């Protein structure tokens, strides 16, 4: 398999209109914003894009729209997670037909299968296409269901196209274990971080980063990425601290905070879709105050 390297991956939000229908016009503007601001790849629709609130048909429409909008300028990674193994595998097949460059899937929603069935889940999704396949480990989001280093090794034995793991657990001990053991079996196995804590991830061996915060502060995210790629970790610390502060400002409101922050940067994040809600006025005011206190945001682009 030719090694696919996602690099700095932007994860766009999914904007909704007031009637909760997808606002494709704004989605197109968001994609162009990410492309103009140093995205090496796009991943759609990730959890930051409210994937769990979308029907399978809507997810395919978003992937199709993104691929058409991008026109080959950067790779588009399709997120195909689902509760059912067969459903996720079918999404992977459809995304491959549309021209996705790679596939990513996390552990099944709601279910907590035993380790051997978790391996089976990923094996069937990965086998559905020949595209590079990434498993996504995010136990905090997924009810505590974890991917283990042993499971990764078993998947390597079953899937020639298993490209790597995207880890959002912030469990550095696990990340070190999985990358070191996996690379002994597959030298080009990749570790990507699913959060913008790139100093620790880079020192661990990460060669890619999923960055939802790039929708708010793409220049700071790019600077952090570049410094860590050069292993200038001491120089990267102030930028890392600023992005950590940004994550903490957004985190209490979740995806609604991400969208609200994008809107506060004079772009359009769009409305939420039920059961999530738009932040109340008091929460938006606090978020605005928190953002104003983060100095690096003064250097970020305003508007489109």
């Amino acid at each position: 398999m030719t090694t696919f390297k996602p690099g700095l991956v932007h994860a766009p939000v999914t904007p909704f209109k007031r009637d909760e229908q997808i606002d494709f016009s704004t989605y197109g503007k968001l994609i162009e914003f990410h492309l103009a601001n140093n995205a090496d790849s796009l991943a759609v629709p990730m959890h930051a894009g409210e994937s769990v609130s979308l029907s399978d048909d809507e997810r395919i429409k978003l992937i199709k729209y993104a691929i058409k909008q991008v026109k080959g300028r950067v790779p588009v990674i399709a997120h195909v997670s689902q509760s059912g193994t067969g459903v996720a595998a079918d999404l992977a097949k459809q995304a491959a037909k549309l021209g996705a460059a790679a596939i990513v899937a996390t552990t099944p929603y709601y279910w907590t299968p035993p380790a051997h069935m978790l391996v089976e889940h990923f094996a069937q999704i990965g086998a559905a296409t020949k595209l590079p396949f990434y498993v996504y480990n995010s136990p905090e989001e997924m009810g505590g269901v974890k991917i283990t280093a042993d499971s990764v090794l078993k998947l390597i034995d079953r899937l020639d196209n298993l490209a790597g793991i995207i880890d959002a657990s912030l469990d550095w001990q696990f990340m070190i274990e999985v990358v070191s053991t996996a690379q002994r079996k597959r030298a080009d196995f990749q570790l990507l971080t699913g959060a913008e804590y790139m100093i620790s991830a880079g020192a661990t061996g990460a060669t890619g980063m999923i960055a939802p915060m790039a929708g708010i502060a793409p220049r700071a995210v790019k600077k952090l990425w570049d410094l860590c790629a050069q292993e200038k970790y001491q120089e990267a610390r102030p930028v890392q601290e600023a992005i950590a502060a940004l994550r903490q400002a957004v985190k209490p409101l979740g995806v609604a905070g991400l969208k609200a922050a994008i809107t506060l940067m004079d772009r359009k994040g769009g409305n939420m879709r039920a059961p999530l809600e738009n932040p109340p006025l008091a929460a938006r005011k606090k978020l605005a105050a928190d953002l104003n206190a983060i100095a690096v945001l003064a250097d970020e682009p305003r508007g489109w």
Side-chain angles (χ1 to χ4, degrees):
M1 181 184 72
T2 302
T3 301
F4 169 69
K5 295 183 178 179
L8 174 55
V9 186
H10 289 208
V13 298
T14 301
F16 296 108
K17 301 176 184 178
R18 289 188 179 276
D19 63 1
E20 299 192 4
Q21 297 303 301
I22 298 171
D23 185 348
F24 280 101
S25 176
T26 298
Y27 190 57
K29 291 181 180 178
L30 285 167
I31 288 173
E32 290 300 324
F33 175 82
H34 285 291
L35 294 178
N37 284 277
N38 301 303
D40 292 327
S41 307
L42 296 180
V44 298
M46 298 298 287
H47 293 151
E50 293 172 80
S51 57
V52 293
S53 294
L54 298 166
S55 69
D56 292 341
D57 182 60
E58 286 175 323
R59 291 169 71 177
I60 290 299
K61 285 180 179 178
L62 282 170
I63 293 166
K64 182 178 181 179
Y65 186 97
I67 291 170
K68 184 177 180 180
Q69 182 74 27
V70 167
K71 297 177 182 176
R73 286 174 284 177
V74 300
V76 175
I77 303 167
H79 176 217
V80 300
S81 301
Q82 255 295 4
S83 300
T85 302
V87 183
D90 184 64
L91 285 172
K93 290 177 184 177
Q94 292 185 66
K97 288 179 181 178
L98 291 172
I103 300 295
V104 57
T106 190
T107 56
Y109 299 123
Y110 182 75
W111 306 119
T112 56
H116 70 281
M117 287 307 297
L118 195 57
V119 169
E120 185 64 28
H121 176 76
F122 286 123
Q124 289 191 32
I125 297 170
T129 81
K130 294 182 179 180
L131 295 178
F133 175 50
Y134 294 87
V135 296
Y136 194 106
N137 184 47
S138 184
E140 183 177 341
E141 290 182 302
M142 303 302 293
V145 180
K146 298 179 181 180
I147 299 167
T148 65
D150 181 64
S151 293
V152 170
L153 296 179
K154 290 176 179 176
L155 285 168
I156 288 175
D157 290 336
R158 293 184 61 175
L159 294 172
D160 291 337
N161 61 330
L162 182 67
I165 188 167
I166 301 171
D167 189 88
S169 70
L170 306 184
D171 182 344
W172 311 116
Q173 183 175 344
F174 164 74
M175 292 168 77
I176 292 168
E177 179 187 9
V178 74
V179 74
S180 61
T181 56
Q183 287 181 350
R184 284 198 287 269
K185 296 195 76 168
R186 181 165 293 166
D188 59 358
F189 184 89
Q190 300 168 53
L191 169 67
L192 282 68
T193 174
E196 293 89 351
Y197 293 107
M198 191 61 202
I199 290 179
S200 299
T204 300
T207 58
M209 175 172 70
I210 309 290
M213 294 300 115
I216 306 168
R219 291 174 184 169
V221 169
K222 173 63 172 173
K223 185 176 182 180
L224 175 66
W225 170 255
D226 287 344
L227 289 171
C228 290
Q230 300 170 54
E231 298 186 6
K232 295 181 179 179
Y233 297 125
Q234 190 64 34
E235 191 176 340
R237 277 194 66 181
V239 190
Q240 181 70 89
E241 290 170 0
I243 294 173
L246 176 59
R247 286 182 60 88
Q248 290 304 309
V250 169
K251 187 176 180 179
L253 297 172
V255 177
L258 178 59
K259 283 186 169 181
I262 290 170
T263 301
L264 287 167
M265 297 301 286
D266 299 325
R267 295 183 290 279
K268 188 177 179 183
N271 288 286
M272 302 300 296
R273 175 178 277 187
L276 302 181
E277 63 178 356
N278 295 326
L281 179 60
R284 295 199 304 272
K285 286 183 175 179
K286 183 181 186 306
L287 178 60
D290 290 341
L291 296 185
N292 286 335
I294 301 173
V296 298
L297 293 186
D299 298 324
E300 294 295 336
R302 295 275 176 170
W304 298 111

